[in-house]
Amino acid sequence: MRWMFEKIPFPLDFKIHLFNVTNPDEVMKGGKPKIRDVGPYYFEEWKEKFDTEDDLEEDTLSFTLRNTWIFRPDISAPLTGDEMITVPHLLVLGVFLSVQRDREEMMPLISSGMKIIFDPLESAFMTVRVMDLLFDGIPVDCGSEEFAAKAVCSGMESEGAVAPLNETHVKFSMFGMRNATDAGRWVVYRGVKNIRDLGRIVSYNGEPEMDIYDGDECNQYIGTDSTIFPPFLTKQDRLWAWAPEICRSLGAHYIGKSKYAGMPMSLFKLDFGDLKNEPENHCFCRDPPEDCPPKGTMDLSMCIGVPILGSKPHLLDADPKLLEGVDGLEPNEAEHDVFIHFELLSGTPVSGAKKLQLNLEVEPIRDHEVLGNLPTVVLPMIWVEEGVSLNKTWTNQLKYQLFLGLKFNATVKWLTIIVGTLGSIGAGFMHYKRTSQVTQVEQVAAGAKSEGGGRFISVSAATTEEGKNGGGGNLPAVLDGLDPSGISKRMSDPAQKERY
């Protein structure tokens, strides 16, 4: 499977949904946001690992990962990507909310710089073309020589939020800066020395662990890159995978039996849990136990640099209070849950979908003339789904190379057990019949003839006669037709008598 691990020979399904805010003016005055799910926009996602290096001593493989997204308008129809949509202005709100939370003393400088860059700054929302927001990019004027403006632009560039466009402008997009670019240098175990280590992450970009959270446990790389898993897993194991985009490892747990393409599988699902009530995971909280993300969410601010909560789409399984804060969400387990159909013996995922929604933690920007009346709300912005379902070409390989062999082995095993059991029973019965046979012996008078002309000699009679003649009482077995007179003569011989 090495070749398939290095370059998956088929694209993964990548779908993007955006939430259109239909009442931005009301929200700016503190009103309850009304949103509408727009999507999905379909993309092909190609994963390739290149510049591979093997370390035989450490049993590791090093590679650089590259993700490439290709838009599929034929599948996205009637959506084209040219739709205009109203969403939170991530650069404006992201910068203000982050500074207010962590560096409030810098707020006057940031306010001056943002006012210059986004002149006129009239709203926390922007109406933009979908593909510009996702990949093509939204231009931002950073040509001002004012110190405040330069400071804000430098900060956005250093955080990787924007990319250079020309001498005076940068551009912002949600995925464009990561499309067809290197996604880090990975080192993983090959699993030759220990098959249970197959695919397990050793380091990322030269670091054996993260340096983000206040706790060694939360900074560990747990699991694989989600494209490969070790074989011989059990129902008690969790399917762990680490994602650099969210700086977290997530583990799906066993739900029950399932089927895919006629083959028995195991169904695993993901649960974000409730960190406030999980002391072992308090290192993922900003200030535990009080300042932990709500149930069913995870705080991505320490990873992304913007106050964003990750959740399942439409806040499925999240705290009901979050759903009450907005109108337009319709959580549905069949459509919005995270799942994987998995074959435990071979470690093969045959069908699954990773889904993640990004929600902005909005609050009023204190003492700001434009953003000072925003409501305190968790506002959904976008959710994505990355998934794959193997077609017959690949499921047939699993079916005929693995399951057919397993069925053959099982058939041989049970045939051997059945035949061996029946053979043992038969052999025991025959042994019993042989040992239980009784030979009937009839005592007759001395000198009597048999029907065949022979003679029978009574042991008791012979013994009596010889006893009278001084013979021994320990005669050998009497032979049919033996002349008794001959016996008497032999017994009279001292040598023969001694023999008997």
Side-chain angles (χ1 to χ4, degrees), residues 16-50:
I16 300 178
H17 295 248
L18 294 165
F19 288 103
N20 182 41
V21 180
T22 60
N23 63 334
D25 293 337
E26 292 180 27
V27 178
M28 291 298 298
K29 299 174 183 178
K32 184 178 182 180
K34 296 179 181 179
I35 58 178
R36 182 172 62 89
D37 188 323
V38 179
Y41 294 90
Y42 283 83
F43 295 81
E44 291 181 352
E45 182 183 15
W46 293 89
K47 289 183 175 290
E48 181 181 5
K49 304 174 178 74
F50 58 96

Side-chain angles (χ1 to χ4, degrees), residues 438-442:
V438 178
T439 303
Q440 299 295 331
V441 179
E442 180 181 356

